[in-house]
């Protein structure tokens, strides 16, 4: 399975669902057409499974500014793929290793990007 | 006006229902709950719920065994979540105050609808509220719905659907005539008609 395969996202959703069901004392087996507490038809599942970011065509003339906390091989690979297809990609390493924004966090301090990340984005947008 | 409060939102709905005469009814979802003798009598029944045993096993699988074939599915589930240590603290009215508040709302002609769920809550049988604050007036002017299989977050779509439908039924049945709130004595007369 490739690292940017849509099945990775499905797998993460299924793990989230299994975790929630366990914590909230619901049966482990979920109904067809549901996932993570919402309707999730088979057509949506199949569409997501087919997503492969390496094969997606970026819009013509698209420009991507990617802000990451540290350089990673998969970020670079995605950038190279988009560049090959004619997009402009710039990857910015913010150096922030803690509190860069944790998706789904209920802790206000960690659910928003670190001020340094915001500053980097604003500076780039203003340039 | 019919405020609907959920969890800590009940605090606001409760105060609004007490203070604003335009409120003709109020829906409390997973609001104030007080453990009663009936709650403690039923508490051991939790031991017969397979989901609790499954959760207990999952949380206690030793790290080296989490990849073992028999428990691999459970072993994948994180032992703890990011928000496990977050505790929500609210100021709870005293039992005497809450009983008085409900009596006051009813005396002003307001209709009350209470929704409670089971699972990890402090509510475990349909009549627990009546056991705690039961008065003939409350029984007459309040409806209580207990969903033992729903959880506090109404995670399952069917549970959310059932809840919304039930609230709609209560509103239609109770306020279908769209009469404004009247004192309890008046509404009793209306009930007798």
């Amino acid at each position: 399975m490739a690292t940017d395969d849509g099945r990775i996202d499905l797998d993460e959703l299924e793990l989230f669902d299994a975790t929630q069901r366990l914590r909230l004392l619901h049966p482990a087996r979920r109904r067809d057409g549901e996932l993570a507490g919402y309707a999730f038809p088979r057509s949506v599942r199949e569409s997501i499974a087919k997503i492969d970011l390496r094969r997606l065509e970026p819009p013509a003339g698209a420009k991507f500014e990617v802000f990451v906390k540290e350089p990673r091989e998969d970020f670079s690979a995605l950038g190279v793929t988009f560049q090959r297809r004619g997009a402009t990609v710039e990857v910015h390493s913010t150096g922030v290793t803690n509190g860069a924004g944790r998706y789904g966090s209920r802790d206000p301090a960690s659910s928003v990007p670190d001020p340094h990340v915001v500053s980097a984005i604003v500076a780039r947008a203003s340039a | 006006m019919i405020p609907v409060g959920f969890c800590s939102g009940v605090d606001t709905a409760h105060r609004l229902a007490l203070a604003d005469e335009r409120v003709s009814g109020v829906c409390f979802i997973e609001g104030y709950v007080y453990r009663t003798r009936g709650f403690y009598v039923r508490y051991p029944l939790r031991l017969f719920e397979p989901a609790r045993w499954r959760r207990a096993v999952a949380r206690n699988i030793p790290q080296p065994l989490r990849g073992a074939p028999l428990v691999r599915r459970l072993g994948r589930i994180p032992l703890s979540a990011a928000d496990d240590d977050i505790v929500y603290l609210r100021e709870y009215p005293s039992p005497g105050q809450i009983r008085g508040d409900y009596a006051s709302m009813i005396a002003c002609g307001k209709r009350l609808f209470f929704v409670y769920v089971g699972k990890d809550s402090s509510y475990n049988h349909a009549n627990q509220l009546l056991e705690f604050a039961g008065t003939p007036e409350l029984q007459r002017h309040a409806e209580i719905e207990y969903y033992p299989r729903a959880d506090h977050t109404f995670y399952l779509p069917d549970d959310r659907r059932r809840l919304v439908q039930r609230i709609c039924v209560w509103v239609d049945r109770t306020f279908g005539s769209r009469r404004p709130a009247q004192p309890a004595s008046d509404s009793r007369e209306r009930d007798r008609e």
Side-chain angles (χ1 to χ4, degrees), chain A residues 16-17 20-21 24 26-27 29-41, chain B residues 147 149-151 153-166:
Chain A
F16 169 82
D17 188 63
Q20 290 300 96
R21 285 172 174 276
L24 300 171
H26 288 298
R29 180 181 288 273
R30 63 175 179 273
R31 288 177 54 173
D32 281 346
E34 282 181 14
L35 186 61
Y38 291 93
F40 199 77
Chain B
Y147 297 117
R149 293 185 180 178
D151 68 89
T153 64
F154 289 86
Y155 179 74
L156 299 183
D158 273 355
D159 290 341
R160 293 197 297 274
R161 198 174 300 120
R162 195 173 299 121
L163 171 68
V164 171
Q165 284 174 349
R166 182 63 183 87

